[in-house]
Amino acid sequence: SSGINAEYGGTVHIFAIRDPQLNKRLTVASVGYLASQWAMGSFSLKSECPATCVFPAHSSGSAVKNAVIALSYDGTYHKYVFTSDGNCNRESFNVFLDLTQELEI
């Protein structure tokens, strides 16, 4: 994989690890020298539930190479595509588990 992602409080952060120059940076010289590296891109899930995020495998002929899938604990599926400049757009969404339905055991 050429990236890593992390989810915190409903926000998914995407970091480039093969080309760290793609990650956003902040440098403050007025307080000495402080440098910070931020994610190259991020997106927010509607709920603030925890989520498990993965980069889906793709074949060499796949049209979508930069994608992240988030499976949220509230039962929702999110697929986002992102560009090297950090723009993220939701490609698909689905509810795979309706938590408001009562289960019969």
Side-chain angles (χ1 to χ4, degrees):
S1 176
S2 62
I4 189 168
N5 62 58
E7 181 274 334
Y8 179 76
T11 301
V12 176
H13 304 273
I14 304 165
F15 296 89
I17 56 175
R18 283 199 185 144
D19 187 2
Q21 297 300 320
L22 295 174
N23 296 322
K24 297 175 182 170
R25 302 183 188 300
L26 172 68
T27 303
V28 180
S30 63
V31 291
Y33 180 75
L34 172 69
S36 175
Q37 187 168 3
W38 297 346
M40 68 173 278
S42 64
F43 59 88
S44 294
L45 304 174
K46 295 225 182 236
S47 68
E48 293 187 2
C49 291
T52 299
C53 302
V54 296
F55 293 107
H58 62 277
S59 63
S60 59
S62 175
V64 178
K65 293 182 180 177
N66 296 328
V68 174
I69 293 176
L71 300 172
S72 182
Y73 285 30
D74 68 354
T76 54
Y77 165 93
H78 309 262
K79 182 178 181 183
Y80 279 79
V81 294
F82 60 93
T83 61
S84 60
D85 63 353
N87 290 323
C88 299
N89 295 302
R90 188 167 74 181
E91 185 174 83
S92 60
F93 169 82
N94 203 349
V95 178
F96 63 90
L97 178 62
D98 187 358
L99 298 178
T100 61
Q101 231 176 23
E102 289 187 30
L103 297 175
E104 291 184 30
I105 300 177

